[in-house]
């Protein structure tokens, strides 16, 4: 099987590529990535020479390139992760999000449809999405219970995106389902909660805080820090994607999460405790770095995922506890400070432009 994985040089994509390259030597994995600020081939150093792995630098909005790649590599399946992924950036620059997340997804769908040309047997278009498309839940579970609204996001929860990021992902999800319903394309959509773990770009809450604690820089908490996110280790997400890729039913949607809700300010305190301890600093030394800042516009209050369909129908369950996952994650960032320094300085980007041409 020839599998095209888009966005494989990013945070989640690199874990998915690594897992598939190692676990399925019989598959050929083609990683298509534009290497934006969020894409970094350092994330894949350990598998870049594997015989079943090929990297292509390219943009998912480049329809001619996509059509060429589908034919050149005789692609059987697409796992689509390439996206602009940061809510704060989407507030500043919504056009880029519509371009990549909506038009890029549509281009990839259409290139696959034209190449597969109705011969759907053995083909799959698997789209990776987010729980943010469902909008926001009430803080208090009792207040959120029916008839006031769902207590958790399930696959039937109506879409209600609030940020330009989640609106663009919602649009992409609808296009994927439309290709299933209109053309019969075998598709899968999964909506996952917030991920954490190695190789996450330090603009997102967890790596940002670890990086700033090590450097003694401010830890910005938006608003009162009461917003809740449901955290999943990225390797558990990659494991779920593997299971769903092989056992999911075409046309279906599965939610992925680990029943692990945390208020932002509690996460920041947990990261301070863990990072200070691992750096040999006195307990609580970094608490004065906490800085409450203006809230994010349209900030969703709470995300929480019901992943019982996935557990029941696919038999998946997360392997990491949050305790171990966070400890290992903080250790990883502290042991990989050159990676953090390179991505925060942007040094790796001009290197790629020299190697692959400016994008
Ligand atoms: P990321 O920002 O770390 O990586 C995105 C990757 O896509 C980068 O390698 C980037 O170079 C590439 N890319 C961006 N624009 C491109 C384009 N036009 N053409 C080709 N490649 C392009 O993102 P991530 O956090 O790894 O998220 C991956 C996917 O998972 C996204 O679709 C995101 O919406 C989804 N998701 C993320 C989370 C999370 O917590 N991070 C949770 C649920 C779902
Ligand atoms: P983030 O990691 O950006 O993920 P998302 O917006 O997709 O959930 O943010 C996680 C939560 O942390 C979110 O509620 C916003 C908040 N946050 C802060 O309080 N301070 C920060 O500096 C960042 C980046 C996020």
């Amino acid at each position: 099987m020839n599998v095209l994985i888009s966005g494989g040089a990013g945070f989640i994509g690199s874990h998915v590529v690594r897992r598939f390259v190692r676990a399925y030597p019989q598959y050929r994995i083609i990683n298509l990535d534009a290497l934006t600020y969020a894409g970094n081939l350092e994330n894949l150093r350990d598998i870049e020479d594997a015989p079943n792995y090929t990297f292509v630098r390219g943009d998912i909005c480049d329809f001619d390139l996509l059509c060429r790649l589908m034919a050149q590599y005789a692609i059987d399946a697409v796992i689509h992760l390439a996206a602009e992924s940061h809510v704060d950036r989407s507030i500043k620059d919504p056009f880029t999000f519509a371009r990549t997340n909506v038009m890029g997804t549509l281009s990839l769908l259409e290139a696959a449809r034209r190449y597969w040309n109705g011969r759907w047997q053995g083909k799959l278009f698997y789209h990776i999405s987010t729980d943010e498309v469902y909008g926001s839940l009430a803080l208090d579970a009792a207040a959120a219970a029916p008839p006031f609204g769902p207590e958790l996001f399930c696959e039937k929860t109506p879409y209600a995106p609030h940020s330009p990021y989640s609106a663009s992902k919602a649009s992409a999800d609808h296009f994927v389902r439309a290709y299933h319903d209109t053309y019969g394309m075998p598709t899968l959509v999964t909506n996952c909660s917030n991920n954490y773990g190695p190789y996450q770009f330090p603009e997102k809450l967890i790596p940002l805080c670890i990086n700033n604690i090590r450097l003694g820089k401010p830890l910005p908490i938006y608003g009162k820090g009461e917003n809740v996110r449901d955290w999943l280790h990225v390797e558990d997400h990659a494991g779920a994607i593997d299971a769903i890729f092989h056992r999911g039913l075409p046309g279906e949607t599965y939610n992925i999460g680990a029943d692990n809700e945390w208020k932002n300010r509690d996460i920041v305190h947990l990261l301070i405790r863990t990072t200070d301890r691992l750096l040999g600093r006195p307990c609580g030394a970094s608490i004065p770095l906490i800085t409450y800042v203006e809230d994010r516009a349209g900030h969703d209050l709470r995300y929480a995922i019901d992943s019982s369909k996935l557990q029941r129908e696919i038999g998946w369950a997360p392997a990491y506890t949050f305790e171990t996952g966070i400890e290992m994650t903080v250790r990883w960032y502290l042991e990989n400070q050159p990676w953090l320094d390179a991505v925060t300085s942007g040094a790796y980007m001009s290197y790629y432009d020299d190697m692959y041409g400016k994008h």
Side-chain angles (χ1 to χ4, degrees):
M1 188 180 343
N2 299 319
V3 184
L4 184 138
I5 300 183
S6 74
F11 166 47
I12 302 171
S14 62
H15 289 272
V16 174
V17 165
R18 179 178 299 100
R19 185 180 178 104
F20 272 70
V21 164
R22 286 195 178 144
Y24 304 105
Q26 71 276 29
Y27 296 173
R28 179 163 192 186
I29 306 300
I30 293 94
N31 173 11
L32 170 66
D33 197 297
L35 299 179
T36 67
Y37 80 97
N40 184 353
L41 292 179
E42 277 304 318
N43 302 357
L44 290 165
R45 269 301 162 239
D46 50 338
I47 55 103
E48 67 184 2
D49 294 327
N52 62 336
Y53 173 70
T54 304
F55 173 72
V56 178
R57 186 179 194 180
D59 189 332
I60 53 163
C61 298
D62 183 344
F63 184 65
D64 292 341
L65 169 73
L66 300 179
C67 291
R68 269 201 315 278
L69 291 177
M70 293 298 297
Q72 180 181 348
Y73 294 105
I75 298 299
D76 300 297
V78 174
I79 306 178
H80 173 39
L81 295 109
E84 288 293 336
S85 67
H86 190 41
V87 173
D88 294 322
R89 285 181 190 255
S90 82
I91 295 168
K92 293 196 185 92
D93 178 18
F95 273 125
T96 304
F97 282 68
R99 179 187 179 276
T100 293
N101 299 359
V102 184
M103 287 309 294
T105 301
L106 180 56
S107 304
L108 206 43
L109 280 165
E110 185 57 15
R113 182 176 82 89
R114 291 201 194 173
Y115 176 62
W116 293 335
N117 194 23
R119 294 183 295 271
W120 303 125
Q121 187 67 33
K123 304 293 187 280
L124 179 65
F125 191 103
Y126 179 178
H127 173 62
I128 307 301
S129 191
T130 166
D131 61 355
E132 303 190 22
V133 298
Y134 297 125
S136 183
L137 297 167
L139 252 198
D140 174 2
F148 303 106
E151 194 181 327
L152 299 172
F153 296 138
C154 71
E155 289 79 359
K156 291 195 165 60
T157 303
Y159 276 31
H162 295 132
S163 71
Y165 164 65
S166 52
S168 67
K169 292 295 291 187
S171 172
D173 295 10
H174 290 315
F175 269 111
V176 176
R177 292 199 189 94
Y179 267 63
H180 174 266
D181 297 348
T182 306
Y183 306 112
M185 182 185 281
T187 61
L188 285 169
V189 177
T190 53
N191 299 86
C192 185
S193 61
N194 285 62
N195 285 213
Y196 71 96
Y199 301 114
Q200 187 167 32
F201 196 84
E203 62 186 350
K204 308 275 168 65
L205 182 68
I206 289 183
L208 177 104
C209 286
I210 300 169
N211 192 35
N212 287 7
I213 295 168
R214 97 178 154 110
L215 298 173
K217 289 165 102 177
L219 307 174
I221 298 184
Y222 300 162
K224 294 183 180 151
E226 284 185 347
N227 304 64
V228 170
R229 297 292 182 264
D230 190 351
W231 294 95
L232 177 73
H233 194 280
V234 63
E235 285 174 11
D236 277 332
H237 190 185
I241 290 171
D242 183 347
I244 294 162
F245 179 84
H246 290 99
R247 300 201 291 281
L249 285 182
E252 287 293 318
T253 294
Y254 301 90
N255 281 353
I256 309 174
D259 292 328
N260 183 38
E261 292 182 52
W262 283 74
K263 282 192 177 159
N264 291 339
R265 61 164 185 253
D266 295 337
I267 288 272
V268 174
H269 279 280
L270 172 67
L271 292 170
I272 288 174
R273 277 198 302 281
T274 312
T275 313
D276 278 346
R277 173 168 50 77
L278 292 176
L279 287 172
R281 294 178 185 164
C283 181
S286 299
I287 289 177
L289 298 176
I290 292 177
T291 313
Y292 285 90
V293 298
E294 191 183 338
D295 209 352
R296 173 188 277 171
H299 196 174
D300 286 333
L301 194 52
R302 172 173 167 247
Y303 302 143
I305 277 273
D306 172 357
S307 62
S308 56
K309 175 177 173 184
L310 174 59
Q311 310 211 5
R312 204 174 47 246
E313 295 184 10
I314 308 284
W316 172 87
Y320 282 85
T321 63
F322 196 51
E323 212 179 17
T324 357
I326 280 291
E327 174 89 15
M328 287 170 70
T329 299
V330 175
R331 274 186 197 281
W332 186 87
Y333 284 98
L334 296 180
E335 283 164 7
N336 289 275
Q337 299 194 31
W339 182 91
L340 271 173
D341 292 333
V343 298
T344 43
S345 74
Y348 62 105
M349 293 188 72
S350 55
Y351 169 75
Y352 293 144
D353 289 341
D354 291 347
M355 219 168 139
Y356 296 99
K358 208 167 174 60
H359 208 73

